[in-house]
Amino acid sequence: MSFKSIVRELREMRDGIGNLSRRRVEGRHWRNRTRSHIAPDVAPFEPSEQGQWANLPPELLFDIISRVEESETTWPARNVVIFCASVCKSWREVTKEIVRTPEECGRLTFPISLKQPGPRESPIHCFIKRDSDNSVYRLYFGLTPSEDESDKLLLAARRIRRATSTDFVISLVADDFSRASNTYLGKLRSNFLGTKFTIYDSQPPSVASIQERSQRSRRFCTKQVSVTGTACNYSIANISYELNVLRTRGPRRMHCVMHSIPFSSIQEGGSAPTPTSFPRSFGEKASPPSVSDSKETAKDASSPSISSSAVPLPLQESLVLKNKSPRWHEQLQCWCLNFRGRVTVASVKNFQLVATVAPPHNIPAAEQEKVILQFGKIGKDIFTMDYRYPLSAYQAFAICLSSFDTKPVCE
């Protein structure tokens, strides 16, 4: 069987082609229920894996998926790799073993890739579409929007204004922003003036930090602090904009303290935290609380927002990002930055972030000038977002969302 026919059959399996035999089995099952005889109640034997592809030799299976992964490097063709992981358990395990992280290969594949650091050399190019009528922001993969609107949706956020703050709820889909949903990833919250923001993640930075915190705090019940719970939001970063009431300091100035990323990650030999899976699978619903925990659960549920913080890194050990200072262009009479053609419209929202490096740290000058996150406007309600290591797509998207909030005292 040729390689193309294998890929074609994988697509057919995903699209539901070939389900006629399964419908026939179900039809026989319902016809048998009309019979009057009674049989012993014996649990039927259910094989752990079904289908003609489940029992392939491991070496052949590894070779097939490796060739699929290497050949389909862009979306939407890379959907075939997702199809491979959806065939059965053995295929899923082999696919997870073959697919590398964005830091290693520069590609986004599974949803967990959005929580993993980007590549070290070349950035991952994305763009954001703003829906002002519905206060929804969608993050897509790619350089610019396509004409047929077949762009790969990565993340979506909805802005919710409150009396004293503003929330940007972030989800994997654009039609469900409930915290109870298994597509909920976290949120961005601002203060009243829109000068300080906190990024929350529904996934704790590490299991160890949750266990340590659960021993020191009694605010939540044991079920809520477990890695499978969804009651907590974990603070992973703080964003602050400098006040500019008199508008004498030029463009916006921002600082981002990444509590979940150590400064050593940008040093030689350093590494950033890289989660390998979500606390629970997307198809799994949260288990209801037990009767003994009902009172405490009701008390916590009455709060409009329950936020928790895993043990953060000390400030001197955390990575701090700052916006790159623009230069004044005499002929254009405006502040300018070199966005390398990725930004075409002047806007107060445009920025580039670089690492803040203290003199004692031995960091090369080229590394200090490397742009980690770039954001800017290219059209009406369309913005580009390019990020790289050590930020993840989720962290970069949350930082960019802070630029959309109203800041009357910062500009």
Side-chain angles (χ1 to χ4, degrees), residues 223 288-297:
K223 184 181 292 295
S290 61
V291 177
S292 60
D293 298 331
S294 59
K295 293 184 179 180
E296 188 169 357
T297 303

Side-chain angles (χ1 to χ4, degrees), residues 188-233:
L188 173 74
R189 167 163 290 186
S190 74
N191 63 353
F192 178 73
L193 296 177
T195 58
K196 296 184 182 298
F197 296 80
T198 303
I199 302 176
Y200 294 98
D201 196 334
S202 63
Q203 182 177 6
S206 65
V207 177
S209 63
I210 294 301
Q211 294 175 349
E212 181 178 350
R213 182 187 175 279
S214 63
Q215 296 175 0
R216 299 186 305 168
S217 174
R218 298 182 179 179
R219 180 178 179 183
F220 302 100
C221 60
T222 305
K223 184 181 292 295
Q224 289 174 317
V225 235
S226 66
V227 296
T228 59
T230 57
C232 295
N233 284 313

